[in-house]
Amino acid sequence: NNKSVEITGFSRAEAMGQDLVKVYISKEFRESVSMVLTNALGGQETSNFEFPLFTKNQQRVEVLLNATTRRDVTGRPIGMIGVGQDITARKQVEQEKSRVAQELQNFIDTA
C-alpha cells in the first residue's frame, strides 16, 4: 500500500512478490516476525508486536504490528491482515526521556 511505499522507499513494483520476512526483516527478528504472521494465518492474532525493518536505503524503521486473522463466513481462517505503524520517532523520544531521567538521577545522587 501507499504507506508501505512511503516508509520503506521501495516502489510497489519492487515490493510485489517479495518475501516480506526474508527481504525486509533483520536476521535476529525473522523467526519471531514469521511466527506472528503464521499464527495469524492459523487463527491466533497478535497485537502490539514491535520489530525493526530496513528501508531501501538500509535505514532502520521501528514498526508496531497488529496481525489479525481474516475469516470466511463460517469462521474458518482464510488469510491475515497485518497493520503496521512506524513508531521510530516515538521510540526515539522514549529513549531520550529515559536518558534525561537517568542524567537527572545521577545529578541528584551526586549532589
Side-chain angles (χ1 to χ4, degrees):
N1 66 28
N2 293 335
K3 194 63 172 175
S4 297
V5 169
E6 180 185 324
I7 291 171
T8 66
F10 288 96
S11 69
R12 284 178 187 244
E14 290 172 312
M16 288 301 281
Q18 296 293 325
D19 184 314
L20 167 76
V21 175
K22 289 182 182 174
V23 175
Y24 304 107
I25 309 301
S26 63
K27 288 181 183 177
E28 67 267 22
F29 284 90
R30 285 182 187 155
E31 186 176 335
S32 58
V33 171
S34 182
M35 183 65 70
V36 166
L37 299 176
T38 300
N39 287 347
L41 288 169
Q44 182 181 350
E45 300 178 354
T46 301
S47 297
N48 301 322
F49 179 76
E50 295 183 19
F51 68 95
L53 65 77
F54 291 89
T55 67
K56 187 173 184 176
N57 297 327
Q58 295 302 306
Q59 292 180 316
R60 181 180 172 124
V61 176
E62 298 293 332
V63 175
L64 180 67
L65 174 69
N66 291 303
T68 305
T69 304
R70 186 170 179 212
R71 299 175 186 276
D72 67 13
V73 294
T74 66
R76 193 188 79 200
I78 58 170
M80 62 89 56
I81 299 171
V83 178
Q85 179 181 3
D86 180 353
I87 59 168
T88 306
R90 186 191 90 191
K91 296 285 280 187
Q92 290 169 343
V93 168
E94 289 171 359
Q95 289 173 346
E96 180 63 11
K97 283 173 53 178
S98 182
R99 185 194 65 77
V100 169
Q102 183 62 48
E103 215 171 88
L104 288 171
Q105 187 62 50
N106 290 343
F107 179 73
I108 291 168
D109 292 345
T110 59

